[in-house]
PDB file of all heavy atoms in Angstrom:
ATOM      1  N   GLU A   1       0.830  -1.201   0.000  1.00  0.00           N
ATOM      2  CA  GLU A   1       0.000   0.000   0.000  1.00  0.00           C
ATOM      3  C   GLU A   1       0.866   1.253   0.000  1.00  0.00           C
ATOM      4  O   GLU A   1       1.850   1.359   0.724  1.00  0.00           O
ATOM      5  CB  GLU A   1      -0.906  -0.005   1.234  1.00  0.00           C
ATOM      6  CG  GLU A   1      -1.926   1.119   1.237  1.00  0.00           C
ATOM      7  CD  GLU A   1      -2.879   1.013   2.414  1.00  0.00           C
ATOM      8  OE1 GLU A   1      -2.855  -0.036   3.087  1.00  0.00           O
ATOM      9  OE2 GLU A   1      -3.639   1.957   2.644  1.00  0.00           O
ATOM     10  N   LEU A   2       0.502   2.210  -0.858  1.00  0.00           N
ATOM     11  CA  LEU A   2       1.241   3.455  -0.979  1.00  0.00           C
ATOM     12  C   LEU A   2       0.679   4.515  -0.041  1.00  0.00           C
ATOM     13  O   LEU A   2      -0.466   4.431   0.401  1.00  0.00           O
ATOM     14  CB  LEU A   2       1.177   3.973  -2.420  1.00  0.00           C
ATOM     15  CG  LEU A   2       1.751   3.055  -3.501  1.00  0.00           C
ATOM     16  CD1 LEU A   2       1.452   3.641  -4.883  1.00  0.00           C
ATOM     17  CD2 LEU A   2       3.255   2.879  -3.322  1.00  0.00           C
ATOM     18  N   ALA A   3       1.488   5.533   0.239  1.00  0.00           N
ATOM     19  CA  ALA A   3       0.994   6.673   1.003  1.00  0.00           C
ATOM     20  C   ALA A   3      -0.076   7.390   0.189  1.00  0.00           C
ATOM     21  O   ALA A   3      -0.083   7.330  -1.048  1.00  0.00           O
ATOM     22  CB  ALA A   3       2.152   7.618   1.318  1.00  0.00           C
ATOM     23  N   ALA A   4      -0.966   8.082   0.883  1.00  0.00           N
ATOM     24  CA  ALA A   4      -2.127   8.681   0.211  1.00  0.00           C
ATOM     25  C   ALA A   4      -1.741   9.648  -0.892  1.00  0.00           C
ATOM     26  O   ALA A   4      -2.452   9.778  -1.892  1.00  0.00           O
ATOM     27  CB  ALA A   4      -3.004   9.387   1.248  1.00  0.00           C
ATOM     28  N   ASP A   5      -0.583  10.341  -0.748  1.00  0.00           N
ATOM     29  CA  ASP A   5      -0.193  11.328  -1.745  1.00  0.00           C
ATOM     30  C   ASP A   5       0.832  10.796  -2.739  1.00  0.00           C
ATOM     31  O   ASP A   5       1.387  11.555  -3.542  1.00  0.00           O
ATOM     32  CB  ASP A   5       0.360  12.580  -1.061  1.00  0.00           C
ATOM     33  CG  ASP A   5       1.583  12.281  -0.181  1.00  0.00           C
ATOM     34  OD1 ASP A   5       1.832  11.089   0.090  1.00  0.00           O
ATOM     35  OD2 ASP A   5       2.261  13.240   0.241  1.00  0.00           O
ATOM     36  N   SER A   6       1.105   9.479  -2.700  1.00  0.00           N
ATOM     37  CA  SER A   6       2.082   8.880  -3.606  1.00  0.00           C
ATOM     38  C   SER A   6       1.413   8.465  -4.908  1.00  0.00           C
ATOM     39  O   SER A   6       0.345   7.852  -4.897  1.00  0.00           O
ATOM     40  CB  SER A   6       2.735   7.654  -2.960  1.00  0.00           C
ATOM     41  OG  SER A   6       3.455   8.024  -1.800  1.00  0.00           O
ATOM     42  N   ASN A   7       2.056   8.809  -6.031  1.00  0.00           N
ATOM     43  CA  ASN A   7       1.522   8.402  -7.325  1.00  0.00           C
ATOM     44  C   ASN A   7       1.686   6.909  -7.524  1.00  0.00           C
ATOM     45  O   ASN A   7       2.626   6.288  -7.023  1.00  0.00           O
ATOM     46  CB  ASN A   7       2.245   9.147  -8.448  1.00  0.00           C
ATOM     47  CG  ASN A   7       1.760  10.568  -8.599  1.00  0.00           C
ATOM     48  OD1 ASN A   7       0.572  10.832  -8.472  1.00  0.00           O
ATOM     49  ND2 ASN A   7       2.667  11.493  -8.854  1.00  0.00           N
ATOM     50  N   GLY A   8       0.761   6.344  -8.289  1.00  0.00           N
ATOM     51  CA  GLY A   8       0.819   4.929  -8.611  1.00  0.00           C
ATOM     52  C   GLY A   8      -0.026   4.631  -9.834  1.00  0.00           C
ATOM     53  O   GLY A   8      -0.684   5.514 -10.382  1.00  0.00           O
ATOM     54  N   TYR A   9       0.017   3.389 -10.238  1.00  0.00           N
ATOM     55  CA  TYR A   9      -0.796   2.930 -11.368  1.00  0.00           C
ATOM     56  C   TYR A   9      -1.815   1.924 -10.833  1.00  0.00           C
ATOM     57  O   TYR A   9      -1.456   0.998 -10.110  1.00  0.00           O
ATOM     58  CB  TYR A   9       0.085   2.289 -12.443  1.00  0.00           C
ATOM     59  CG  TYR A   9       0.988   3.285 -13.133  1.00  0.00           C
ATOM     60  CD1 TYR A   9       2.251   3.567 -12.636  1.00  0.00           C
ATOM     61  CD2 TYR A   9       0.568   3.953 -14.284  1.00  0.00           C
ATOM     62  CE1 TYR A   9       3.084   4.490 -13.266  1.00  0.00           C
ATOM     63  CE2 TYR A   9       1.387   4.875 -14.917  1.00  0.00           C
ATOM     64  CZ  TYR A   9       2.648   5.143 -14.400  1.00  0.00           C
ATOM     65  OH  TYR A   9       3.451   6.065 -15.022  1.00  0.00           O
ATOM     66  N   TYR A  10      -3.070   2.128 -11.219  1.00  0.00           N
ATOM     67  CA  TYR A  10      -4.165   1.321 -10.709  1.00  0.00           C
ATOM     68  C   TYR A  10      -5.041   0.830 -11.857  1.00  0.00           C
ATOM     69  O   TYR A  10      -5.045   1.415 -12.946  1.00  0.00           O
ATOM     70  CB  TYR A  10      -5.038   2.138  -9.741  1.00  0.00           C
ATOM     71  CG  TYR A  10      -4.361   2.467  -8.429  1.00  0.00           C
ATOM     72  CD1 TYR A  10      -3.457   3.520  -8.338  1.00  0.00           C
ATOM     73  CD2 TYR A  10      -4.635   1.730  -7.275  1.00  0.00           C
ATOM     74  CE1 TYR A  10      -2.832   3.827  -7.137  1.00  0.00           C
ATOM     75  CE2 TYR A  10      -4.024   2.036  -6.072  1.00  0.00           C
ATOM     76  CZ  TYR A  10      -3.116   3.084  -6.004  1.00  0.00           C
ATOM     77  OH  TYR A  10      -2.507   3.380  -4.818  1.00  0.00           O
ATOM     78  N   ILE A  11      -5.786  -0.238 -11.586  1.00  0.00           N
ATOM     79  CA  ILE A  11      -6.845  -0.679 -12.489  1.00  0.00           C
ATOM     80  C   ILE A  11      -8.165  -0.196 -11.903  1.00  0.00           C
ATOM     81  O   ILE A  11      -8.452  -0.437 -10.727  1.00  0.00           O
ATOM     82  CB  ILE A  11      -6.873  -2.206 -12.631  1.00  0.00           C
ATOM     83  CG1 ILE A  11      -5.561  -2.719 -13.245  1.00  0.00           C
ATOM     84  CG2 ILE A  11      -8.050  -2.645 -13.515  1.00  0.00           C
ATOM     85  CD1 ILE A  11      -5.459  -4.233 -13.293  1.00  0.00           C
ATOM     86  N   VAL A  12      -8.941   0.507 -12.729  1.00  0.00           N
ATOM     87  CA  VAL A  12     -10.274   0.968 -12.330  1.00  0.00           C
ATOM     88  C   VAL A  12     -11.277   0.250 -13.224  1.00  0.00           C
ATOM     89  O   VAL A  12     -11.249   0.410 -14.449  1.00  0.00           O
ATOM     90  CB  VAL A  12     -10.418   2.493 -12.493  1.00  0.00           C
ATOM     91  CG1 VAL A  12     -11.854   2.928 -12.192  1.00  0.00           C
ATOM     92  CG2 VAL A  12      -9.438   3.219 -11.573  1.00  0.00           C
ATOM     93  N   GLN A  13     -12.142  -0.554 -12.609  1.00  0.00           N
ATOM     94  CA  GLN A  13     -13.139  -1.313 -13.369  1.00  0.00           C
ATOM     95  C   GLN A  13     -14.528  -0.734 -13.133  1.00  0.00           C
ATOM     96  O   GLN A  13     -14.961  -0.576 -11.997  1.00  0.00           O
ATOM     97  CB  GLN A  13     -13.119  -2.790 -12.988  1.00  0.00           C
ATOM     98  CG  GLN A  13     -14.019  -3.648 -13.888  1.00  0.00           C
ATOM     99  CD  GLN A  13     -13.970  -5.117 -13.529  1.00  0.00           C
ATOM    100  OE1 GLN A  13     -13.928  -5.483 -12.355  1.00  0.00           O
ATOM    101  NE2 GLN A  13     -13.980  -5.981 -14.542  1.00  0.00           N
ATOM    102  N   PHE A  14     -15.192  -0.434 -14.253  1.00  0.00           N
ATOM    103  CA  PHE A  14     -16.543   0.123 -14.180  1.00  0.00           C
ATOM    104  C   PHE A  14     -17.590  -0.979 -14.128  1.00  0.00           C
ATOM    105  O   PHE A  14     -17.314  -2.153 -14.409  1.00  0.00           O
ATOM    106  CB  PHE A  14     -16.804   1.022 -15.387  1.00  0.00           C
ATOM    107  CG  PHE A  14     -15.981   2.284 -15.400  1.00  0.00           C
ATOM    108  CD1 PHE A  14     -14.937   2.449 -16.300  1.00  0.00           C
ATOM    109  CD2 PHE A  14     -16.255   3.314 -14.511  1.00  0.00           C
ATOM    110  CE1 PHE A  14     -14.184   3.607 -16.317  1.00  0.00           C
ATOM    111  CE2 PHE A  14     -15.505   4.483 -14.515  1.00  0.00           C
ATOM    112  CZ  PHE A  14     -14.458   4.634 -15.419  1.00  0.00           C
ATOM    113  N   ALA A  15     -18.818  -0.583 -13.809  1.00  0.00           N
ATOM    114  CA  ALA A  15     -19.933  -1.521 -13.713  1.00  0.00           C
ATOM    115  C   ALA A  15     -20.385  -2.021 -15.075  1.00  0.00           C
ATOM    116  O   ALA A  15     -21.149  -2.977 -15.160  1.00  0.00           O
ATOM    117  CB  ALA A  15     -21.107  -0.860 -12.991  1.00  0.00           C
ATOM    118  N   GLY A  16     -19.929  -1.404 -16.132  1.00  0.00           N
ATOM    119  CA  GLY A  16     -20.274  -1.793 -17.496  1.00  0.00           C
ATOM    120  C   GLY A  16     -19.346  -1.066 -18.438  1.00  0.00           C
ATOM    121  O   GLY A  16     -18.364  -0.446 -18.012  1.00  0.00           O
ATOM    122  N   PRO A  17     -19.611  -1.128 -19.746  1.00  0.00           N
ATOM    123  CA  PRO A  17     -18.793  -0.374 -20.710  1.00  0.00           C
ATOM    124  C   PRO A  17     -18.722   1.095 -20.305  1.00  0.00           C
ATOM    125  O   PRO A  17     -19.732   1.706 -19.954  1.00  0.00           O
ATOM    126  CB  PRO A  17     -19.548  -0.563 -22.027  1.00  0.00           C
ATOM    127  CG  PRO A  17     -20.260  -1.871 -21.856  1.00  0.00           C
ATOM    128  CD  PRO A  17     -20.664  -1.925 -20.414  1.00  0.00           C
ATOM    129  N   GLY A  18     -17.510   1.637 -20.314  1.00  0.00           N
ATOM    130  CA  GLY A  18     -17.286   2.983 -19.791  1.00  0.00           C
ATOM    131  C   GLY A  18     -18.117   4.060 -20.458  1.00  0.00           C
ATOM    132  O   GLY A  18     -17.963   4.311 -21.652  1.00  0.00           O
ATOM    133  N   GLN A  19     -19.006   4.665 -19.718  1.00  0.00           N
ATOM    134  CA  GLN A  19     -19.797   5.779 -20.222  1.00  0.00           C
ATOM    135  C   GLN A  19     -19.014   7.077 -20.026  1.00  0.00           C
ATOM    136  O   GLN A  19     -18.180   7.187 -19.127  1.00  0.00           O
ATOM    137  CB  GLN A  19     -21.135   5.854 -19.496  1.00  0.00           C
ATOM    138  CG  GLN A  19     -21.996   4.604 -19.654  1.00  0.00           C
ATOM    139  CD  GLN A  19     -23.308   4.729 -18.898  1.00  0.00           C
ATOM    140  OE1 GLN A  19     -23.733   5.822 -18.530  1.00  0.00           O
ATOM    141  NE2 GLN A  19     -23.962   3.593 -18.646  1.00  0.00           N
ATOM    142  N   GLU A  20     -19.294   8.069 -20.869  1.00  0.00           N
ATOM    143  CA  GLU A  20     -18.569   9.335 -20.790  1.00  0.00           C
ATOM    144  C   GLU A  20     -18.676   9.958 -19.397  1.00  0.00           C
ATOM    145  O   GLU A  20     -17.709  10.499 -18.870  1.00  0.00           O
ATOM    146  CB  GLU A  20     -19.097  10.310 -21.847  1.00  0.00           C
ATOM    147  CG  GLU A  20     -18.689   9.948 -23.268  1.00  0.00           C
ATOM    148  CD  GLU A  20     -19.096  11.010 -24.271  1.00  0.00           C
ATOM    149  OE1 GLU A  20     -19.470  12.124 -23.833  1.00  0.00           O
ATOM    150  OE2 GLU A  20     -19.046  10.740 -25.480  1.00  0.00           O
ATOM    151  N   ALA A  21     -19.852   9.877 -18.803  1.00  0.00           N
ATOM    152  CA  ALA A  21     -20.050  10.468 -17.475  1.00  0.00           C
ATOM    153  C   ALA A  21     -19.212   9.740 -16.428  1.00  0.00           C
ATOM    154  O   ALA A  21     -18.659  10.367 -15.517  1.00  0.00           O
ATOM    155  CB  ALA A  21     -21.528  10.432 -17.099  1.00  0.00           C
ATOM    156  N   TRP A  22     -19.113   8.419 -16.540  1.00  0.00           N
ATOM    157  CA  TRP A  22     -18.310   7.648 -15.591  1.00  0.00           C
ATOM    158  C   TRP A  22     -16.838   8.009 -15.723  1.00  0.00           C
ATOM    159  O   TRP A  22     -16.137   8.202 -14.724  1.00  0.00           O
ATOM    160  CB  TRP A  22     -18.508   6.157 -15.819  1.00  0.00           C
ATOM    161  CG  TRP A  22     -19.892   5.650 -15.583  1.00  0.00           C
ATOM    162  CD1 TRP A  22     -20.955   6.363 -15.121  1.00  0.00           C
ATOM    163  CD2 TRP A  22     -20.351   4.312 -15.799  1.00  0.00           C
ATOM    164  NE1 TRP A  22     -22.065   5.550 -15.030  1.00  0.00           N
ATOM    165  CE2 TRP A  22     -21.719   4.280 -15.441  1.00  0.00           C
ATOM    166  CE3 TRP A  22     -19.751   3.146 -16.258  1.00  0.00           C
ATOM    167  CZ2 TRP A  22     -22.484   3.124 -15.535  1.00  0.00           C
ATOM    168  CZ3 TRP A  22     -20.511   1.982 -16.344  1.00  0.00           C
ATOM    169  CH2 TRP A  22     -21.872   1.969 -15.985  1.00  0.00           C
ATOM    170  N   ILE A  23     -16.349   8.063 -16.970  1.00  0.00           N
ATOM    171  CA  ILE A  23     -14.944   8.402 -17.222  1.00  0.00           C
ATOM    172  C   ILE A  23     -14.656   9.812 -16.723  1.00  0.00           C
ATOM    173  O   ILE A  23     -13.598  10.081 -16.136  1.00  0.00           O
ATOM    174  CB  ILE A  23     -14.629   8.250 -18.718  1.00  0.00           C
ATOM    175  CG1 ILE A  23     -14.671   6.753 -19.105  1.00  0.00           C
ATOM    176  CG2 ILE A  23     -13.269   8.856 -19.057  1.00  0.00           C
ATOM    177  CD1 ILE A  23     -14.560   6.493 -20.590  1.00  0.00           C
ATOM    178  N   ALA A  24     -15.613  10.730 -16.934  1.00  0.00           N
ATOM    179  CA  ALA A  24     -15.440  12.106 -16.471  1.00  0.00           C
ATOM    180  C   ALA A  24     -15.311  12.156 -14.958  1.00  0.00           C
ATOM    181  O   ALA A  24     -14.552  12.978 -14.411  1.00  0.00           O
ATOM    182  CB  ALA A  24     -16.614  12.966 -16.939  1.00  0.00           C
ATOM    183  N   GLN A  25     -16.035  11.290 -14.257  1.00  0.00           N
ATOM    184  CA  GLN A  25     -15.918  11.232 -12.794  1.00  0.00           C
ATOM    185  C   GLN A  25     -14.482  10.923 -12.386  1.00  0.00           C
ATOM    186  O   GLN A  25     -13.942  11.533 -11.462  1.00  0.00           O
ATOM    187  CB  GLN A  25     -16.842  10.162 -12.227  1.00  0.00           C
ATOM    188  CG  GLN A  25     -18.288  10.589 -12.040  1.00  0.00           C
ATOM    189  CD  GLN A  25     -19.070   9.502 -11.310  1.00  0.00           C
ATOM    190  OE1 GLN A  25     -18.983   8.321 -11.644  1.00  0.00           O
ATOM    191  NE2 GLN A  25     -19.819   9.900 -10.306  1.00  0.00           N
ATOM    192  N   VAL A  26     -13.872   9.952 -13.062  1.00  0.00           N
ATOM    193  CA  VAL A  26     -12.504   9.544 -12.733  1.00  0.00           C
ATOM    194  C   VAL A  26     -11.524  10.678 -13.026  1.00  0.00           C
ATOM    195  O   VAL A  26     -10.658  10.998 -12.204  1.00  0.00           O
ATOM    196  CB  VAL A  26     -12.118   8.271 -13.513  1.00  0.00           C
ATOM    197  CG1 VAL A  26     -10.631   7.947 -13.323  1.00  0.00           C
ATOM    198  CG2 VAL A  26     -12.969   7.090 -13.059  1.00  0.00           C
ATOM    199  N   THR A  27     -11.644  11.306 -14.186  1.00  0.00           N
ATOM    200  CA  THR A  27     -10.723  12.391 -14.537  1.00  0.00           C
ATOM    201  C   THR A  27     -10.948  13.607 -13.637  1.00  0.00           C
ATOM    202  O   THR A  27      -9.994  14.295 -13.270  1.00  0.00           O
ATOM    203  CB  THR A  27     -10.874  12.779 -16.017  1.00  0.00           C
ATOM    204  OG1 THR A  27     -12.234  13.118 -16.289  1.00  0.00           O
ATOM    205  CG2 THR A  27     -10.470  11.618 -16.919  1.00  0.00           C
ATOM    206  N   ASP A  28     -12.194  13.865 -13.260  1.00  0.00           N
ATOM    207  CA  ASP A  28     -12.478  14.990 -12.362  1.00  0.00           C
ATOM    208  C   ASP A  28     -11.838  14.783 -10.990  1.00  0.00           C
ATOM    209  O   ASP A  28     -11.510  15.754 -10.288  1.00  0.00           O
ATOM    210  CB  ASP A  28     -13.982  15.188 -12.199  1.00  0.00           C
ATOM    211  CG  ASP A  28     -14.642  15.768 -13.446  1.00  0.00           C
ATOM    212  OD1 ASP A  28     -13.909  16.242 -14.337  1.00  0.00           O
ATOM    213  OD2 ASP A  28     -15.880  15.728 -13.535  1.00  0.00           O
ATOM    214  N   LEU A  29     -11.673  13.521 -10.604  1.00  0.00           N
ATOM    215  CA  LEU A  29     -11.047  13.209  -9.321  1.00  0.00           C
ATOM    216  C   LEU A  29      -9.518  13.132  -9.430  1.00  0.00           C
ATOM    217  O   LEU A  29      -8.844  12.785  -8.453  1.00  0.00           O
ATOM    218  CB  LEU A  29     -11.596  11.889  -8.774  1.00  0.00           C
ATOM    219  CG  LEU A  29     -13.035  11.949  -8.239  1.00  0.00           C
ATOM    220  CD1 LEU A  29     -13.571  10.551  -7.945  1.00  0.00           C
ATOM    221  CD2 LEU A  29     -13.106  12.819  -6.985  1.00  0.00           C
ATOM    222  N   GLY A  30      -8.991  13.448 -10.630  1.00  0.00           N
ATOM    223  CA  GLY A  30      -7.549  13.505 -10.809  1.00  0.00           C
ATOM    224  C   GLY A  30      -6.939  12.322 -11.529  1.00  0.00           C
ATOM    225  O   GLY A  30      -5.712  12.267 -11.697  1.00  0.00           O
ATOM    226  N   GLY A  31      -7.755  11.357 -11.966  1.00  0.00           N
ATOM    227  CA  GLY A  31      -7.232  10.179 -12.648  1.00  0.00           C
ATOM    228  C   GLY A  31      -6.831  10.464 -14.084  1.00  0.00           C
ATOM    229  O   GLY A  31      -7.488  11.238 -14.777  1.00  0.00           O
ATOM    230  N   GLU A  32      -5.753   9.850 -14.525  1.00  0.00           N
ATOM    231  CA  GLU A  32      -5.294   9.943 -15.919  1.00  0.00           C
ATOM    232  C   GLU A  32      -5.414   8.559 -16.557  1.00  0.00           C
ATOM    233  O   GLU A  32      -4.653   7.650 -16.226  1.00  0.00           O
ATOM    234  CB  GLU A  32      -3.855  10.436 -15.980  1.00  0.00           C
ATOM    235  CG  GLU A  32      -3.333  10.620 -17.394  1.00  0.00           C
ATOM    236  CD  GLU A  32      -1.881  11.062 -17.427  1.00  0.00           C
ATOM    237  OE1 GLU A  32      -1.276  11.254 -16.351  1.00  0.00           O
ATOM    238  OE2 GLU A  32      -1.339  11.195 -18.545  1.00  0.00           O
ATOM    239  N   LEU A  33      -6.390   8.383 -17.447  1.00  0.00           N
ATOM    240  CA  LEU A  33      -6.620   7.093 -18.086  1.00  0.00           C
ATOM    241  C   LEU A  33      -5.554   6.843 -19.148  1.00  0.00           C
ATOM    242  O   LEU A  33      -5.326   7.688 -20.018  1.00  0.00           O
ATOM    243  CB  LEU A  33      -8.016   7.030 -18.710  1.00  0.00           C
ATOM    244  CG  LEU A  33      -9.176   6.685 -17.753  1.00  0.00           C
ATOM    245  CD1 LEU A  33      -9.414   7.793 -16.750  1.00  0.00           C
ATOM    246  CD2 LEU A  33     -10.451   6.409 -18.540  1.00  0.00           C
ATOM    247  N   LEU A  34      -4.920   5.668 -19.080  1.00  0.00           N
ATOM    248  CA  LEU A  34      -3.818   5.350 -19.984  1.00  0.00           C
ATOM    249  C   LEU A  34      -4.168   4.272 -20.994  1.00  0.00           C
ATOM    250  O   LEU A  34      -4.023   4.467 -22.190  1.00  0.00           O
ATOM    251  CB  LEU A  34      -2.591   4.925 -19.168  1.00  0.00           C
ATOM    252  CG  LEU A  34      -2.033   5.988 -18.209  1.00  0.00           C
ATOM    253  CD1 LEU A  34      -0.925   5.392 -17.352  1.00  0.00           C
ATOM    254  CD2 LEU A  34      -1.517   7.187 -18.987  1.00  0.00           C
ATOM    255  N   ASP A  35      -4.601   3.119 -20.530  1.00  0.00           N
ATOM    256  CA  ASP A  35      -4.856   1.980 -21.419  1.00  0.00           C
ATOM    257  C   ASP A  35      -6.159   1.295 -21.027  1.00  0.00           C
ATOM    258  O   ASP A  35      -6.470   1.175 -19.837  1.00  0.00           O
ATOM    259  CB  ASP A  35      -3.707   0.958 -21.335  1.00  0.00           C
ATOM    260  CG  ASP A  35      -2.360   1.564 -21.663  1.00  0.00           C
ATOM    261  OD1 ASP A  35      -2.192   2.033 -22.790  1.00  0.00           O
ATOM    262  OD2 ASP A  35      -1.489   1.568 -20.770  1.00  0.00           O
ATOM    263  N   TYR A  36      -6.870   0.796 -22.046  1.00  0.00           N
ATOM    264  CA  TYR A  36      -8.068  -0.003 -21.767  1.00  0.00           C
ATOM    265  C   TYR A  36      -7.657  -1.418 -21.399  1.00  0.00           C
ATOM    266  O   TYR A  36      -6.720  -1.994 -21.973  1.00  0.00           O
ATOM    267  CB  TYR A  36      -8.987  -0.048 -22.989  1.00  0.00           C
ATOM    268  CG  TYR A  36     -10.177  -0.971 -22.790  1.00  0.00           C
ATOM    269  CD1 TYR A  36     -11.240  -0.593 -21.979  1.00  0.00           C
ATOM    270  CD2 TYR A  36     -10.201  -2.235 -23.377  1.00  0.00           C
ATOM    271  CE1 TYR A  36     -12.310  -1.443 -21.762  1.00  0.00           C
ATOM    272  CE2 TYR A  36     -11.273  -3.085 -23.175  1.00  0.00           C
ATOM    273  CZ  TYR A  36     -12.323  -2.692 -22.361  1.00  0.00           C
ATOM    274  OH  TYR A  36     -13.379  -3.538 -22.149  1.00  0.00           O
ATOM    275  N   ILE A  37      -8.357  -1.995 -20.425  1.00  0.00           N
ATOM    276  CA  ILE A  37      -8.141  -3.378 -20.007  1.00  0.00           C
ATOM    277  C   ILE A  37      -9.493  -4.081 -20.024  1.00  0.00           C
ATOM    278  O   ILE A  37     -10.436  -3.623 -19.359  1.00  0.00           O
ATOM    279  CB  ILE A  37      -7.540  -3.451 -18.586  1.00  0.00           C
ATOM    280  CG1 ILE A  37      -6.157  -2.791 -18.546  1.00  0.00           C
ATOM    281  CG2 ILE A  37      -7.444  -4.904 -18.115  1.00  0.00           C
ATOM    282  CD1 ILE A  37      -5.570  -2.682 -17.152  1.00  0.00           C
ATOM    283  N   PRO A  38      -9.642  -5.152 -20.783  1.00  0.00           N
ATOM    284  CA  PRO A  38     -10.915  -5.888 -20.746  1.00  0.00           C
ATOM    285  C   PRO A  38     -11.051  -6.632 -19.411  1.00  0.00           C
ATOM    286  O   PRO A  38     -10.050  -7.081 -18.863  1.00  0.00           O
ATOM    287  CB  PRO A  38     -10.775  -6.868 -21.910  1.00  0.00           C
ATOM    288  CG  PRO A  38      -9.305  -7.009 -22.151  1.00  0.00           C
ATOM    289  CD  PRO A  38      -8.672  -5.721 -21.734  1.00  0.00           C
ATOM    290  N   ASP A  39     -12.279  -6.685 -18.854  1.00  0.00           N
ATOM    291  CA  ASP A  39     -13.504  -6.118 -19.355  1.00  0.00           C
ATOM    292  C   ASP A  39     -13.829  -4.845 -18.573  1.00  0.00           C
ATOM    293  O   ASP A  39     -13.794  -4.843 -17.339  1.00  0.00           O
ATOM    294  CB  ASP A  39     -14.654  -7.102 -19.161  1.00  0.00           C
ATOM    295  CG  ASP A  39     -14.582  -8.331 -20.066  1.00  0.00           C
ATOM    296  OD1 ASP A  39     -13.690  -8.387 -20.927  1.00  0.00           O
ATOM    297  OD2 ASP A  39     -15.398  -9.246 -19.877  1.00  0.00           O
TER     298      ASP A  39
END
């Protein structure tokens, strides 16, 4: 586990195919989406 302010790479899995509003939530919270991972 990293410190709260330490950068890292994570997998974020949505409840279904990524909707624009869902992706916007992640980016609004500071996330930078890099690569798609199925599913």
Side-chain angles (χ1 to χ4, degrees):
E1 187 175 350
L2 300 173
D5 59 347
S6 297
N7 282 321
Y9 292 89
Y10 290 80
I11 298 174
V12 175
Q13 187 179 39
F14 292 108
Q19 300 179 18
E20 288 186 13
W22 296 356
I23 291 172
Q25 278 187 313
V26 172
T27 56
D28 288 347
L29 287 170
E32 183 182 359
L33 278 68
L34 299 174
D35 303 298
Y36 175 75
I37 297 173
D39 290 355

